[in-house]
Amino acid sequence: MANRTDPLAKSIRGTNPQNLVEKILRTKIYQHTYWKEQCFGLTAETLVDKAMELDHLGGTHGGTRKPTPFMCLVMKMLQIQPDKEIVVEFIKNPEYKYVRALGAFYLRLTGTDIDVYRYLEPLYNDYRKLRFKPNDGKFTLTHVDEFIDELLTKDYSCDIALPRLKKRLTLESVGSLEPRRSALEDDFEEEEEKDEDDLLADGLDSEEKDKDYNRVRSPARERDRDRKRDSHRYRDRDYDRDRDYDRDRDYDRDRDYDRDRDYDRDRDYDRDRGRGRDRDRDRDRHRLRDDKEYGRDRERRRRRSHSRSRSRSREHKDRDGDDRRRRHRSSASPKRDEPKKKKEKKAKKDDGTDHPDPEIAEQNRLRASLGLKPLKL
Amino acid sequence: MGLELSIAKKKEEERELSMIEVVLNDRLGKKVRVKCNDDDTIGDLKKLVAAQTGTRADKIRIQKWYTIYKDHITLKDYEIHDGMGLELYYN
């Protein structure tokens, strides 16, 4: 008798509200001691007291899948079906975050799409931490806004399959909802304005820096072409940098990557020819350095002041090797690309998805999609 | 030196991993044969079963009589051999 839904309760999504929870989970909850002791004869008011005592969220945990008190209270709410005002009060109350989470979860299960978006989206601004108990039983940390995001975007949460929610865009296009206004929108606008001002106000450096981060190859390559040269060309570097900068800016505006790169490559080639010896020496030494190091080196170098020629040329050499590797990857020397391509291809075949036996190949494909290693034969 | 090497080699052979095929039966008519590695964990096996049956991986429980198999232990450690039958239950 205690497990019957309130006879005055409306049916949700065409069925007894308690059926929103799956049969197995429902049975588990009915057999749980928390349900039997604490949730017997609860009403909406006494439910609030129980909800205030909650201290973690979760679905089921452990080998036998025991439900959490949070689950039991959700079940109770489904059983007694409190009014919408009460649920909204649960959500709006600012002090008890677990009461909020409980209300939000219940609304997600039972409310209409519009209500769900309307009442749950303001909760995106709540950054408080929540304790969550996943299936393995070890507590993890989550936040209220993360939880709400999960409710609004995923279709499974706390071991309950959430009912289908219409996409926000659909509702907006129909006109039932207004387009989403983020609480951070004002902050974003300020940020954008600030960025624009910075670009105009600051000198060459910051702009080049930005360009490096945004567009990987051409500005870096142009600048590095200079570094290859010997010390006496330092003068030239400044000269080139200015020239490059101007050209860069124009090219940036046009967003003409290819043209830029081709132009550089031609220029590189002409200048490279004279520096054959340097190239050979550097190529082998620095082939394996990765881009991250390269970037870091560049930063460090930029910060350093004008140093003696010998140290600088050494630096130049270091940078050259990396740069060379990057440059070659594009096309300057086709021979370099092939061994790398071969390596990539080989990695793919290790997956086992090309096994002659189709059954095994399919199994391996499935395993690869799940993130498992291929079958050992 | 020679003795140690031979012991090490033996250990390696024992740890040799192979592919096994496990049969899972839920008594309601669902019988699933799954090919997997020795060193896959039960959790991985559940994912494979889920892919084949269409249930969610975390809804599946694999048992042998009253022993519920834990997710993080490998099949080899549970001594699950080729062709062995396991019971499939749902959470």
Side-chain angles (χ1 to χ4, degrees), chain A residues 211-228:
Chain A
K211 269 183 245 144
D212 289 341
Y213 294 140
N214 296 333
R215 296 171 67 250
V216 181
R217 221 157 266 164
S218 8
R221 204 185 304 143
E222 281 167 285
R223 204 173 322 118
D224 290 328
R225 195 190 330 121
D226 308 344
R227 291 202 191 110
K228 270 190 325 164

Side-chain angles (χ1 to χ4, degrees), chain A residues 24 65 156 359 367 374 376, chain B residues 19 35 37 40 58-59:
Chain A
I24 297 177
R65 287 287 193 267
Y156 203 79
E359 206 180 299
R367 290 175 69 95
K376 289 182 177 61
Chain B
M19 177 180 88
K35 282 191 180 48
N37 282 335
D40 280 343
D58 52 359
K59 290 278 178 205

Side-chain angles (χ1 to χ4, degrees), chain A residues 108-366:
Chain A
R108 173 66 175 87
L109 289 177
T110 59
T112 60
D113 296 349
I114 300 177
D115 281 342
V116 168
Y117 281 115
R118 195 186 303 154
Y119 292 113
L120 258 50
E121 274 183 354
L123 293 184
Y124 269 130
N125 297 337
D126 191 341
Y127 300 117
R128 288 178 290 187
K129 296 184 197 168
L130 290 173
R131 219 176 279 131
F132 181 74
K133 200 170 194 180
N135 291 338
D136 56 10
K138 298 188 184 111
F139 284 104
T140 54
L141 186 67
T142 181
H143 298 82
V144 177
D145 51 352
E146 279 176 37
F147 183 60
I148 301 292
D149 190 46
E150 204 183 287
L151 290 182
L152 286 178
T153 50
K154 304 232 176 74
D155 56 11
Y156 203 79
S157 173
C158 294
D159 279 350
I160 292 185
L162 304 174
R164 283 282 140 91
L165 195 66
K166 287 201 198 68
K167 290 225 166 24
R168 203 171 204 293
L169 290 172
T170 326
L171 291 173
E172 281 174 27
S173 62
V174 174
S176 354
L177 271 183
E178 284 153 17
R180 172 131 191 271
R181 277 222 81 194
S182 165
L184 297 172
E185 211 167 295
D186 299 328
D187 293 341
F188 277 138
E189 282 170 14
E190 277 177 34
E191 279 262 340
E192 277 174 28
E193 285 172 16
K194 213 177 108 191
D195 281 341
E196 282 172 23
D197 289 339
D198 281 345
L199 275 179
L200 293 172
D202 286 0
L204 310 175
D205 282 333
S206 72
E207 214 166 325
E208 283 186 349
K209 233 183 246 191
D210 285 339
K211 269 183 245 144
D212 289 341
Y213 294 140
N214 296 333
R215 296 171 67 250
V216 181
R217 221 157 266 164
S218 8
R221 204 185 304 143
E222 281 167 285
R223 204 173 322 118
D224 290 328
R225 195 190 330 121
D226 308 344
R227 291 202 191 110
K228 270 190 325 164
R229 293 194 215 123
D230 289 332
S231 56
H232 71 273
R233 295 270 202 110
Y234 182 69
R235 260 176 288 125
D236 291 349
R237 182 175 36 108
D238 283 338
Y239 165 69
D240 278 331
R241 210 207 269 164
D242 289 352
R243 281 179 55 204
D244 292 349
Y245 168 67
D246 289 334
R247 211 164 19 88
D248 261 1
R249 228 189 328 172
D250 291 340
Y251 278 80
D252 277 344
R253 295 263 167 76
D254 297 340
R255 294 197 175 278
D256 218 341
Y257 286 81
D258 294 338
R259 191 153 43 104
D260 208 7
R261 225 189 301 150
D262 286 347
Y263 181 76
D264 293 342
R265 214 181 300 135
D266 291 324
R267 289 182 61 187
D268 286 352
Y269 178 64
D270 289 338
R271 226 163 272 158
D272 276 356
R273 251 191 293 170
R275 303 282 136 213
R277 213 173 33 144
D278 263 11
R279 209 196 305 168
D280 288 331
R281 223 183 311 153
D282 299 335
R283 191 191 293 160
D284 298 301
R285 213 197 310 159
H286 298 291
R287 220 183 335 147
L288 297 173
R289 267 222 224 146
D290 58 5
D291 289 0
K292 215 200 280 182
E293 275 190 37
Y294 170 70
R296 228 190 297 138
D297 284 352
R298 193 155 18 105
E299 276 300 316
R300 219 186 304 137
R301 187 209 195 266
R302 211 185 281 129
R303 269 184 249 125
R304 261 202 238 177
S305 56
H306 178 48
S307 54
R308 278 182 11 173
S309 62
R310 202 178 285 166
S311 59
R312 204 184 322 116
S313 62
R314 219 185 304 131
E315 251 185 298
H316 289 188
K317 273 195 220 149
D318 286 352
R319 206 99 346 95
D320 284 346
D322 300 332
D323 171 52
R324 194 95 43 164
R325 192 176 71 91
R326 282 170 107 219
R327 212 182 305 188
H328 285 317
R329 227 194 285 150
S330 64
S331 70
S333 120
K335 244 199 240 170
R336 292 258 157 244
D337 291 342
E338 283 179 14
K340 281 198 192 101
K341 274 189 194 159
K342 277 193 187 146
K343 257 193 199 167
E344 287 174 18
K345 267 195 195 155
K346 215 185 167 187
K348 263 191 178 169
K349 307 248 166 162
D350 280 347
D351 234 357
T353 47
D354 60 335
H355 199 270
D357 184 354
E359 206 180 299
I360 298 201
E362 182 167 337
Q363 282 288 326
N364 280 333
R365 226 174 294 133
L366 173 66

Side-chain angles (χ1 to χ4, degrees), chain A residues 22 24-25 28 63-65 135 155-156 159 359-360 363 366-367 370 372-377, chain B residues 17-19 34-37 39-40 44 47-48 51-52 56 58-61 68 71 90-91:
Chain A
E22 281 169 15
I24 297 177
L25 179 57
K28 291 236 168 74
T64 47
R65 287 287 193 267
N135 291 338
D155 56 11
Y156 203 79
D159 279 350
E359 206 180 299
I360 298 201
Q363 282 288 326
L366 173 66
R367 290 175 69 95
L370 290 173
L372 301 171
K373 282 182 272 181
L375 289 171
K376 289 182 177 61
L377 298 160
Chain B
L17 302 161
S18 54
M19 177 180 88
V34 178
K35 282 191 180 48
C36 50
N37 282 335
D39 63 343
D40 280 343
D44 298 338
K47 284 188 202 164
L48 291 167
Q52 264 184 271
R56 288 181 69 95
D58 52 359
K59 290 278 178 205
I60 292 175
R61 196 166 78 214
I68 301 177
D71 281 358
Y90 299 98
N91 281 316

